[in-house]
Amino acid sequence: MSYLSELRAVWGTAPLLSVGVSVLVQDDHGRVLLQRRGDDGLWGILGGGLEPGEDFLTAAHRELYEESGLACSNLTLLSLEEGLVSGPEFYHRYPNGDEIYLVGMRAHGTLPAEALNDAAPDDSGETLELAWFALDKLPPLPSNINRAGLNVLRVRAGLPPLPLNPFPAPPPAADHMRRLREVVGTRPLFAPGANVIVADGEGHLLLLQHGSTGRWTLPGGGLAPGESLTDCAQRELRGATGLSAAHLEPLRMYAGAECRFTRLNGDVIDNISVLYRARGVTGTPTLPPGEIPGTAWFARNELPGEDEFSGAVGWAMMREWADSCPPDRFPS
């Protein structure tokens, strides 16, 4: 049973954050590979949900093989500008009533047209048919997940983007992860979210002190169903520091086995997090009472060590970003 199926068994059909990957494969004529799905009989791009501990590229290769029997050696993740998926427009309701908000990435690769002759989808019934389609002669695409993904290729080809279908307003921003944890126990859960780099341009990085541990952390937090990752980063930055950013530049998506964290109570978390860099920061620092006792600006040679930082993923974000910057200062 898949990760999402196991959650559905205890959560029902109510909206879930579904972490997944879309697989865009083109042939040597620029046509895109689509599948006719078994659940609704309609055409769409290949792809599916991640399993706990899996990264997006590994999932892309697995989903492509399961749904087509094909392997694509040059399959790669798109840049965050083209590949990042999140927001209210990525709502989808399946024929059985299950509701999701997709969060994830897109992968892209190429295969020769004749590769389809060797296609052999698995026996799950998920794929009824496979075919190549020209980008200007696509079949009806009811899902915004498919429309938005194919718009990446259409824009590249100089074609106008397909209009997105209307979508419902997201549910109230309640504590989704807490409620989900109450019904699933300690089992692994994907925790999509965002973290933010705030630097002053003089060689100093802003870090927050975690209220319960006293350790240092980057501004950031978890995604609400229907929220975009950029909006999440802006909300968390403002809520934790009172600051706002004129622009948030996505730097890297963190996911996979190295992003797993086990809390002291046994809860297992698979972090899925985008690291943003804040540009044009304004506002007066204001800390939420009780949650964050303090902030500090750290010079490069004074950055906290891993044992002083709250969470291995956040520490890796900080170190990788700092190590990639010029030696004399952090870019603001």
Side-chain angles (χ1 to χ4, degrees):
M1 183 180 290
S2 70
Y3 167 84
L4 206 55
S5 298
E6 291 178 358
L7 292 189
R8 286 296 179 196
V10 294
W11 186 253
T13 62
L16 280 170
L17 289 168
S18 177
V19 179
V21 62
S22 298
V23 185
L24 302 168
V25 176
Q26 292 182 276
D27 71 0
D28 29 22
H29 303 288
R31 298 177 299 178
V32 64
L33 180 63
L34 300 182
Q35 64 170 171
R36 192 162 66 86
R37 295 178 55 88
D39 57 0
D40 58 13
L42 301 175
W43 290 95
I45 54 182
L46 284 73
L50 269 65
E51 294 300 322
E54 197 172 36
D55 62 73
F56 285 102
L57 187 56
T58 299
H61 282 286
R62 175 181 55 77
E63 288 289 341
L64 175 62
Y65 186 77
E66 289 175 357
E67 295 178 354
S68 71
L70 301 175
C72 179
S73 61
N74 64 7
L75 196 65
T76 57
L77 295 179
L78 294 177
S79 68
L80 293 184
E81 286 73 17
E82 287 188 320
L84 199 58
V85 175
S86 66
E89 65 271 32
F90 292 103
Y91 168 86
H92 184 68
R93 187 177 187 273
Y94 291 97
N96 65 358
D98 291 350
E99 297 177 88
I100 66 163
Y101 285 95
L102 183 64
V103 180
M105 289 290 292
R106 301 184 182 105
H108 179 266
T110 57
L111 286 171
E114 59 269 20
L116 203 54
N117 298 331
D118 299 320
D122 64 19
D123 58 2
S124 66
E126 189 172 355
T127 301
L128 301 179
E129 187 179 356
L130 293 162
W132 297 109
F133 286 89
L135 292 172
D136 59 352
K137 296 181 180 178
L138 295 169
L141 299 165
S143 168
N144 283 341
I145 295 170
N146 294 304
R147 286 171 172 259
L150 289 168
N151 279 344
V152 172
L153 302 184
R154 286 175 62 90
V155 169
R156 283 185 175 188
L159 296 170
L162 301 168
L164 298 184
N165 292 323
F167 47 87
D175 192 348
H176 177 74
M177 283 299 296
R178 178 187 59 79
R179 294 185 293 114
L180 189 57
R181 182 63 76 183
E182 287 175 353
V183 299
V184 303
T186 61
R187 58 147 295 160
L189 280 181
F190 285 117
N195 292 91
V196 185
I197 290 287
V198 180
D200 66 0
E202 299 299 327
H204 298 92
L205 176 68
L206 179 65
L207 296 179
L208 313 179
Q209 193 173 24
H210 197 282
S212 61
T213 66
R215 295 184 176 187
W216 296 101
T217 186
L218 292 168
L223 190 72
E227 185 179 39
S228 74
L229 285 159
T230 302
D231 286 345
C232 172
Q234 193 73 269
R235 171 177 57 80
E236 289 289 341
L237 175 63
R238 185 169 52 250
T241 68
L243 304 174
S244 296
H247 175 67
L248 288 170
E249 175 190 359
L251 299 178
R252 180 181 164 185
M253 168 71 87
Y254 287 78
E258 67 274 16
C259 295
R260 172 165 288 186
F261 176 74
T262 302
R263 297 187 185 276
L264 293 177
N265 65 359
D267 291 350
V268 181
I269 298 171
D270 280 339
N271 288 289
I272 305 289
S273 187
V274 176
L275 179 64
Y276 289 87
R277 178 166 49 196
R279 302 283 198 182
V281 177
T282 58
T284 301
T286 305
L287 305 181
E291 295 181 32
I292 300 171
T295 66
W297 293 91
F298 285 82
R300 180 188 298 274
N301 62 353
E302 297 173 345
L303 290 173
E306 188 169 6
D307 59 345
E308 302 172 276
F309 210 87
S310 181
V313 177
W315 183 82
M317 288 178 172
M318 178 192 69
R319 286 302 339 168
E320 290 174 19
W321 179 80
D323 291 345
S324 70
C325 295
D328 59 336
R329 66 180 56 232
F330 295 144
S332 59

Coordinates of all heavy atoms in Angstrom, one line a residue, residues 195-199 205 218-219 251 275-279 317-318 321 331:
N195 N 12.0 27.7 4.3 CA 12.9 28.4 5.2 C 13.5 29.6 4.4 O 13.5 29.6 3.2 CB 14.1 27.5 5.7 CG 13.6 26.4 6.6 OD1 13.2 25.3 6.2 ND2 13.5 26.7 7.9
V196 N 13.9 30.6 5.2 CA 14.3 31.9 4.6 C 15.7 32.3 5.1 O 15.9 32.3 6.3 CB 13.3 33.0 4.9 CG1 13.6 34.2 4.1 CG2 11.9 32.5 4.5
I197 N 16.5 32.7 4.1 CA 17.8 33.3 4.4 C 17.6 34.8 4.4 O 17.1 35.4 3.4 CB 18.9 32.9 3.3 CG1 19.3 31.4 3.4 CG2 20.1 33.8 3.4 CD1 20.1 31.1 4.6
V198 N 18.0 35.4 5.5 CA 18.0 36.9 5.6 C 19.4 37.3 6.0 O 19.9 37.0 7.0 CB 17.0 37.4 6.7 CG1 17.0 38.9 6.8 CG2 15.6 36.9 6.4
A199 N 20.0 38.1 5.1 CA 21.4 38.5 5.3 C 21.4 40.1 5.1 O 20.6 40.6 4.4 CB 22.3 37.9 4.3
L205 N 24.3 37.0 9.1 CA 23.1 36.2 8.8 C 22.2 36.2 10.0 O 22.6 36.0 11.1 CB 23.5 34.7 8.5 CG 22.4 33.7 8.2 CD1 21.7 34.0 6.9 CD2 23.0 32.3 8.2
L218 N 16.8 28.9 11.2 CA 16.4 29.8 10.2 C 14.9 30.1 10.3 O 14.1 29.3 10.8 CB 16.6 29.3 8.8 CG 18.1 29.1 8.4 CD1 18.2 28.2 7.2 CD2 18.8 30.4 8.2
P219 N 14.4 31.3 9.9 CA 13.0 31.6 9.9 C 12.4 30.5 8.9 O 12.9 30.2 7.8 CB 12.9 33.0 9.3 CG 14.2 33.6 9.6 CD 15.2 32.5 9.6
L251 N 16.1 29.0 -3.8 CA 17.5 28.6 -4.0 C 17.6 27.1 -4.2 O 18.3 26.6 -5.1 CB 18.3 29.0 -2.8 CG 18.4 30.5 -2.5 CD1 19.3 30.7 -1.3 CD2 19.0 31.2 -3.7
L275 N 14.4 26.4 0.3 CA 15.2 27.4 0.9 C 15.1 28.7 0.0 O 15.4 28.6 -1.2 CB 16.6 27.0 1.1 CG 17.5 28.1 1.7 CD1 17.1 28.4 3.1 CD2 19.0 27.6 1.7
Y276 N 14.6 29.8 0.6 CA 14.5 31.0 -0.1 C 15.5 32.0 0.4 O 15.9 32.0 1.6 CB 13.1 31.7 0.1 CG 12.0 30.9 -0.6 CD1 11.3 29.9 0.0 CD2 11.6 31.3 -1.9 CE1 10.3 29.2 -0.7 CE2 10.5 30.7 -2.5 CZ 9.9 29.6 -1.9 OH 8.9 29.0 -2.6
R277 N 15.9 33.0 -0.4 CA 16.7 34.1 0.0 C 15.8 35.4 -0.1 O 15.2 35.6 -1.1 CB 17.9 34.3 -0.9 CG 18.8 35.5 -0.5 CD 20.1 35.5 -1.2 NE 20.1 35.2 -2.6 CZ 21.2 34.9 -3.3 NH1 22.3 34.7 -2.7 NH2 21.1 34.6 -4.6
A278 N 15.8 36.1 1.0 CA 14.9 37.3 1.1 C 15.7 38.5 0.4 O 16.8 38.7 0.8 CB 14.6 37.6 2.5
R279 N 15.0 39.2 -0.4 CA 15.5 40.4 -1.0 C 14.6 41.6 -0.6 O 13.4 41.5 -0.6 CB 15.5 40.3 -2.5 CG 16.3 39.1 -3.1 CD 17.8 39.4 -3.0 NE 18.6 38.5 -3.9 CZ 19.9 38.5 -4.0 NH1 20.6 39.3 -3.3 NH2 20.5 37.6 -4.8
M317 N 21.1 23.6 5.3 CA 20.8 24.8 4.5 C 21.7 25.9 4.8 O 22.2 26.6 3.8 CB 19.3 25.2 4.8 CG 18.3 24.3 4.3 SD 16.6 24.9 4.8 CE 15.6 23.8 3.9
M318 N 21.9 26.3 6.0 CA 22.7 27.4 6.4 C 24.1 27.2 5.9 O 24.7 28.1 5.4 CB 22.7 27.6 7.9 CG 23.5 28.7 8.4 SD 23.8 28.7 10.2 CE 24.8 27.2 10.4
W321 N 24.5 27.2 2.0 CA 24.4 28.6 1.5 C 25.6 29.5 1.8 O 26.1 30.1 1.0 CB 23.1 29.2 2.0 CG 22.9 30.6 1.5 CD1 22.4 31.0 0.3 CD2 23.3 31.8 2.2 NE1 22.5 32.4 0.2 CE2 23.0 32.9 1.3 CE3 23.8 32.1 3.4 CZ2 23.2 34.2 1.7 CZ3 24.0 33.4 3.8 CH2 23.7 34.4 2.9
P331 N 25.5 38.0 0.4 CA 24.7 38.8 -0.4 C 23.4 39.1 0.3 O 22.7 38.2 0.8 CB 24.5 38.1 -1.7 CG 24.7 36.6 -1.3 CD 25.7 36.6 -0.2

